[in-house]
Amino acid sequence: MLIRGSQIECQFAGATRDADLDNSWMNEALAEAHAAEAEGEIPVGCVIVGPLGGLMGRGHNERERARDPTAHAEMLAIRAATRHSVSWRLDGATAYVTLEPCAMCAGALVLARVARVVYGCDDRKAGALRSLFSIGSDQRLNHVFEVRGGVLGDVCAERLSGFFRRLRASRRGP
């Protein structure tokens, strides 16, 4: 099968546009991570974008403030998105999160029926999309979604490692 040059160019242009959109929305998730850090929370942020490209919900970690172990960025963003939706289903939506979701959040994203999850950096200790498990692509589940990792991954990883570096330094004292 031959592919003409103009078709290839269109495919590459579409891929570049998609990558630019992913970077732009990941920057929004990073803004949420910044808000979490300003509140003394682990800097993880999430935004959920609807199928037409509009913001549906946003959230950042609030576990300490809320004294709630389920107050992860993704859970709060899902709750916010469903408040602005006609259904609990987030069909066609994309979740952008700065850190690979844990098992709880990945399960919630499956249950919310998102179409796609884009994350920044891997979580080797708790990541449930690629690092430890593959919840979003497990065909045994009633729903699967597309996964794209590594979007602004270095920036996301540095935000987290910088937070923990400063936290350890503050515990050691002067």
Side-chain angles (χ1 to χ4, degrees), residues 40-169:
E41 300 279 351
I42 295 173
V44 177
C46 179
V47 296
I48 298 182
V49 178
L52 299 178
L55 180 66
M56 293 181 73
R58 58 188 330 131
H60 57 268
N61 276 1
E62 294 184 14
R63 291 187 322 171
E64 300 300 327
R65 185 187 64 72
R67 296 185 186 125
D68 178 356
T70 69
H72 289 202
E74 301 93 323
M75 301 297 284
L76 299 175
I78 289 168
R79 290 176 189 144
T82 58
R83 281 194 295 272
H84 300 290
S85 179
V86 296
S87 169
W88 56 268
R89 289 186 169 109
L90 299 177
D91 294 323
T94 300
Y96 292 89
V97 60
T98 57
L99 178 66
E100 180 182 6
C102 70
M104 174 184 68
C105 294
L109 290 161
V110 167
L111 294 173
R113 310 291 199 271
V114 300
R116 192 166 172 252
V117 175
V118 178
Y119 71 88
C121 59
D122 292 335
D123 184 348
R124 291 185 191 100
K125 293 183 178 181
L129 297 185
R130 292 214 171 123
S131 294
L132 298 179
F133 307 105
S134 51
I135 290 176
S137 56
D138 189 330
Q139 295 295 321
R140 296 172 297 176
L141 298 174
N142 63 337
H143 176 74
V144 295
F145 48 74
E146 178 187 339
V147 175
R148 180 174 182 223
V151 174
L152 300 181
D154 292 341
V155 177
C156 295
E158 179 52 38
R159 164 117 15 226
L160 284 161
S161 60
F163 171 81
F164 286 113
R165 192 170 41 250
R166 288 185 294 280
L167 184 64
R168 285 189 299 274

